[in-house]
Amino acid sequence: MSRPPRRTGARRGPRRPVDPARRAAFDALRAVHAGGAYANLALAEILDRRHLDERDAALATELVAGSSRLQGTYDAILEAAAGRPLSSLQPAAVDVLRLGTHQVLSMRIPTRAAVDSAVDLAGTAIGERVTGLVNAVLRKVAAHDLDAWVDRLSAGTSGVERLALRTHHPRWIAQTYADLLGEEAAAALEADNVAPRPTLVVRPGLTERDDLVAAGATATRWSPYGAVGVGNPGDLVAVRDGRAGVQDEGSQLVALALSRVEAPAGRWLDMCAGPGGKAALLTGLARARGEDVLAAEVAEHRAGLVAQALRAYRPRPGVICADGTRPAWRAGAFARVMLDAPCTGLGALRRRPESRWRHQPEDVDDLVPLQAQLLVSAIRSTLPGGVVAYVTCSPHPSETEDVVQTVVDELGAQRTVVEVLDAPAFLPEVPACGRADPWGGQRFVQLWPHRHGTDAMFLALLRVG
């Protein structure tokens, strides 16, 4: 007598079609984990191509952002539930499990619906052979809520390790925040887990912030050029025609600070200008003084984004594809230089949630020589009495204060005098934005999500002697 077929836990019969939101989220995660894409950009491209309605687009966005933000926590939970390392599973199946775990533990979706939808997605996108695994693992995940899972994972831990687990960050990032903020670290890390509302910025001279407010936006707290909360920014005429754009208030503030420093008349340089937000704001601020901006960007496709950001200005500002470490301009050519240096982006984890799991501590070390080289080039590109803004979207000491100190000291030894200005004095409306400098002062600006509602932007202002 033959044995009946063994049940796998997967649904029998015709499989239900996967809803477009979950399929879009899965495809975006595959682009992130298999292709190295940024989650927000990958999803935006998919949503634009597939024309999802507003409800499905919102669901897909939450699935991608949430599963990326808590990826490390979810992976630890999944390994505990599966009883095996995730490296032993097919990568596509792991992404299905992450999406399912987010629905089970962090969304108001009934467990059965969350598990069944994940099984359907696995069967359609990968194959029936993985549906039993997905079903079994997610049912074990559903045995506890998120808080209970975190309690289990953090049992026996303390200090920074416990902080990292409970705020869903790698330990090395939690340690960086603890070193910089002490007791404030938990609040800062928790703020990374709150998705920011879209922030807009006007192009000065082309439109006014009041026009955005009239369209339903709310004026930003400190930047006189920003507004928050208008739904889909692309629906606004001012955004479509280039008179306004999307830009975090922190980025607006560091550009504003550079414009407020006394400096000789002359052309301005945005040395690493991609994707163009700061260049567009600086252009409006410079032209109000009768001056202009040259935008330089080493990557050709990003130089194209800069040109797009500047398209509404007449005459159009100069945009060149150039490597800031090998300047395409003469020394001392500019009165003001903006150097928003390539960095790990640890200050933008609200908007790039997958970045916290993508980066490793050695990534910081790899970037520091480039940052220092670019800062030396920026200083040498500045005329005597001119000002350089050294900016990073990272609070990490190696990318911020250490770079500034190294460059200032090295150039000083070569008899190039560089004065570190009191940067917070140029943002007097922004509270608690000072950060200690290596020479015993508080001359750096450090913005924080939990204090200021912005990305964690760092700013040093340097006057060239």
Side-chain angles (χ1 to χ4, degrees):
M1 185 175 179
S2 63
R3 294 182 179 180
R6 184 169 62 90
R7 295 180 62 85
T8 66
R11 181 187 298 107
R12 292 180 175 182
R15 186 162 300 289
R16 295 180 301 184
V18 176
D19 67 89
R22 289 176 172 85
R23 183 59 198 239
F26 170 77
D27 290 341
L29 283 192
R30 294 308 304 138
V32 170
H33 297 132
Y38 288 117
N40 60 336
L41 300 181
L43 181 61
E45 181 181 347
I46 289 169
L47 295 180
D48 183 61
R49 188 169 65 246
R50 299 182 189 178
H51 306 291
L52 271 65
D53 62 32
E54 185 175 347
R55 182 176 179 180
D56 280 342
L59 175 57
T61 300
E62 171 57 29
L63 288 171
V64 171
S67 59
S68 296
R69 189 175 295 116
L70 273 72
Q71 178 183 312
T73 303
Y74 289 161
D75 285 359
I77 292 170
L78 286 166
E79 289 193 342
R84 56 197 287 195
L86 293 186
S87 59
S88 68
L89 303 180
Q90 187 175 349
V94 173
D95 279 337
V96 171
L97 288 168
R98 289 166 175 157
L99 290 170
T101 300
H102 186 62
Q103 294 172 76
V104 168
L105 297 182
S106 299
M107 297 180 69
R108 295 181 179 178
I109 296 176
T111 297
R112 181 173 179 178
V115 174
D116 285 352
S117 67
V119 171
D120 288 331
L121 175 60
T124 300
I126 305 172
E128 291 296 327
R129 65 191 181 281
V130 301
T131 57
L133 170 73
V134 169
N135 180 74
V137 171
L138 289 180
R139 292 194 180 281
K140 289 182 179 179
V141 168
H144 308 284
D145 64 19
L146 181 58
D147 288 340
W149 273 113
V150 171
D151 286 342
R152 290 165 67 94
L153 293 173
S154 60
T157 65
S158 61
V160 170
E161 185 176 0
R162 187 175 184 84
L163 176 66
L165 284 166
R166 292 191 169 277
T167 59
H168 314 296
H169 285 74
R171 190 187 189 284
W172 72 276
I173 295 179
Q175 184 68 65
T176 298
Y177 276 57
D179 291 343
L180 289 169
L181 289 167
E183 293 182 356
E184 278 189 78
L189 292 165
E190 290 289 0
D192 281 346
N193 296 327
V194 179
R197 298 169 69 192
T199 302
L200 300 179
V201 61
V202 298
R203 311 304 191 207
L206 300 182
T207 191
E208 301 291 334
R209 179 167 69 174
D210 288 348
D211 296 333
L212 300 180
V213 174
T218 302
T220 45
R221 284 179 288 180
W222 301 297
S223 169
Y225 304 106
V228 180
V230 292
N232 180 8
D235 292 339
L236 292 178
V237 174
V239 173
R240 292 201 301 270
D241 65 19
R243 291 178 295 118
V246 177
Q247 186 180 43
D248 181 74
E249 188 178 10
S251 293
Q252 298 177 40
L253 290 171
V254 296
L256 180 62
L258 175 61
S259 75
R260 287 174 169 175
V261 185
E262 183 178 350
R267 202 175 191 190
W268 301 14
L269 171 67
D270 189 353
M271 180 180 279
C272 298
K278 290 186 185 68
L281 179 53
L282 290 170
T283 295
L285 297 173
R287 289 191 174 181
R289 296 170 174 264
E291 299 168 1
D292 215 336
V293 173
L294 174 67
E297 170 56 48
V298 66
E300 185 174 354
H301 73 283
R302 286 173 63 84
L305 295 176
V306 177
Q308 180 70 5
L310 297 171
R311 68 189 183 279
Y313 283 108
R314 294 291 183 275
R316 292 197 178 187
V319 179
I320 61 173
C321 189
D323 183 349
T325 65
R326 296 191 294 273
W329 49 83
R330 62 179 174 81
F334 300 96
R336 302 170 199 261
V337 176
M338 167 63 72
L339 171 56
D340 186 354
C343 68
T344 55
L346 299 183
L349 298 182
R350 305 177 305 157
R351 292 185 290 109
R352 296 273 172 83
E354 77 283 358
S355 292
R356 72 186 71 181
W357 309 112
R358 175 175 286 173
H359 285 300
Q360 302 296 326
E362 52 267 27
D363 295 338
V364 177
D365 298 333
D366 291 343
L367 283 165
V368 166
L370 173 61
Q371 292 161 347
Q373 191 176 2
L374 285 168
L375 181 53
V376 169
S377 180
I379 291 169
R380 290 176 174 163
S381 299
T382 306
L383 57 80
V387 179
V388 174
Y390 176 72
V391 173
T392 64
C393 190
S394 168
H396 197 288
S398 295
E399 300 187 88
T400 54
E401 60 197 55
D402 292 354
V403 169
V404 175
Q405 181 179 22
T406 297
V407 169
V408 169
D409 288 350
E410 287 183 356
L411 290 180
Q414 301 170 21
R415 298 188 179 181
T416 299
V417 177
V418 180
E419 179 189 1
V420 181
L421 301 180
D422 181 5
F426 297 98
L427 294 174
E429 62 270 69
V430 183
C433 70
R435 173 169 164 175
D437 63 66
W439 300 276
Q442 290 273 336
R443 290 175 290 181
F444 297 153
V445 165
Q446 182 65 66
L447 304 174
W448 292 102
H450 70 293
R451 288 185 190 170
H452 307 107
T454 68
D455 288 346
M457 303 295 296
F458 170 88
L459 166 68
L461 292 172
L462 310 174
R463 189 180 301 283
V464 179

